[in-house]
Amino acid sequence: MNQLIGGLSGTKVGCSVDGTMINNISYADDMVLLSPSVNALRKLLYICESYAQSHGLKYNASKSVLMVFKAGNKAPSNVPPIKIAGSALERVSKVKYLGHMLTETLLDDEDLERERRALAVRCNMLARRFARCTTDVKLLLFRAFCQSFYTCSLWIRFTRRAYNALRVQYNDAMRAVLRKPRCCSASAMFADASIDDFFCIIRKRTASMMSRVRSSANAVLRTLAYKIDSPFIVYWASVHLLRNKK
């Protein structure tokens, strides 16, 4: 895959971020192509197909999709067909990539709802299967199964309703595992058990990601990490700086 990634990056076709060309994001055999136009995307796909053909590989068009991100509320209604392996790509409004829900509006409500539902399933399982365990065991299981909040450090655009729904679900999960009444104080419950509350987890995950991205040797990550006006930096500042001043 390194040869294909190098070939794509060397075309200088794609999205420019502060002078750094970003046209592909790859993890193992999962690849995302980024392009500002249909013509540029077709050039990138041609490189991918040529590489696959020369190595005896074939792309599965049924597992590949096309997404057009909106600029504000605007997006072209009609997009010329874009094909791979002879089949036109299906245009979608949302897709799950590496477990994270991406939408054409770049809103994170879909991913917040995904995490809320997954959390509800996990906490119900713990409450049912480990009801007779000691409190220490329950707290250990709660930390392991209910505090992951997968990709929560990427949440930067969401409605307050979706955010609060996940927070309430997290509080209710703790009550269910410890068999606490719904009227009990969430703050007191977490403090007594020495467990991080919802806001503390978000702050820790966001700070951890910022530290790892800024210490990475990857040129793309470093470009994004030090772009002062990027949505991620703005959100990080609001979580760790602005809120702490209030």
Side-chain angles (χ1 to χ4, degrees):
M1 293 298 291
N2 287 342
Q3 184 179 355
L4 174 58
I5 294 172
L8 290 169
S9 301
T11 62
K12 302 301 181 181
V13 173
C15 300
S16 177
V17 180
D18 284 353
T20 300
M21 188 62 62
I22 304 175
N23 59 20
N24 73 94
I25 301 175
S26 303
Y27 181 81
D29 61 344
D30 288 302
M31 175 176 286
V32 172
L33 298 180
L34 303 174
S35 169
S37 67
V38 171
N39 187 42
L41 182 57
R42 284 174 173 168
K43 290 181 180 180
L44 297 177
L45 286 173
Y46 176 77
I47 293 174
C48 291
E49 290 185 309
S50 298
Y51 177 86
Q53 185 176 6
S54 63
H55 288 77
L57 304 174
K58 185 177 181 180
Y59 283 96
N60 188 343
S62 64
K63 294 185 177 180
S64 304
V65 296
L66 169 69
M67 180 180 290
V68 179
F69 294 103
K70 290 184 176 181
N73 294 323
K74 298 180 179 179
S77 56
N78 296 317
V79 177
I82 298 176
K83 298 182 178 180
I84 187 170
S87 300
L89 295 177
E90 177 189 3
R91 181 176 174 178
V92 297
S93 60
K94 60 181 179 180
V95 65
K96 181 181 286 188
Y97 178 64
L98 300 180
H100 184 88
M101 290 298 302
L102 289 171
T103 64
E104 62 182 3
T105 60
L106 292 177
L107 288 175
D108 295 311
D109 285 16
E110 288 280 351
D111 200 59
L112 282 160
E113 178 61 16
R114 172 200 60 77
E115 183 61 35
R116 189 195 66 79
R117 293 184 178 183
L119 177 60
V121 172
R122 293 195 297 269
C123 77
N124 288 335
M125 179 272 294
L126 293 179
R128 182 177 66 256
R129 295 186 181 182
F130 302 96
R132 297 185 178 182
C133 292
T134 64
T135 300
D136 289 341
V137 171
K138 291 179 179 180
L139 293 177
L140 179 64
L141 293 171
F142 183 84
R143 289 190 180 96
F145 287 92
C146 299
Q147 289 190 332
S148 61
F149 289 168
Y150 182 65
T151 71
C152 69
S153 51
L154 298 177
W155 298 336
I156 56 175
R157 296 183 62 191
F158 47 80
T159 62
R160 183 57 54 183
R161 179 178 181 180
Y163 192 74
N164 286 335
L166 178 57
R167 177 184 59 81
V168 171
Q169 184 67 63
Y170 178 72
N171 294 345
D172 289 343
M174 182 72 163
R175 293 188 181 100
V177 171
L178 296 183
R179 292 184 174 273
K180 296 282 188 179
R182 292 184 60 86
C183 60
C184 74
S185 169
S187 299
M189 176 177 61
F190 288 116
D192 291 341
S194 297
I195 295 286
D196 290 341
D197 66 4
F198 178 78
F199 299 111
C200 183
I201 292 175
I202 297 298
R203 289 195 298 270
K204 285 184 176 181
R205 296 291 191 276
T206 305
S208 175
M209 180 178 177
M210 175 61 71
S211 176
R212 287 182 284 117
V213 168
R214 284 189 164 177
S215 62
S216 173
N218 185 283
V220 173
L221 292 181
R222 292 183 66 85
T223 298
L224 298 176
Y226 289 97
K227 184 175 173 59
I228 303 301
D229 60 344
S230 72
F232 180 67
I233 298 295
V234 173
Y235 177 68
W236 181 85
S238 69
V239 169
H240 298 281
L241 300 178
L242 301 181
R243 291 181 184 176
N244 292 336
K245 292 181 178 180
K246 295 180 180 180

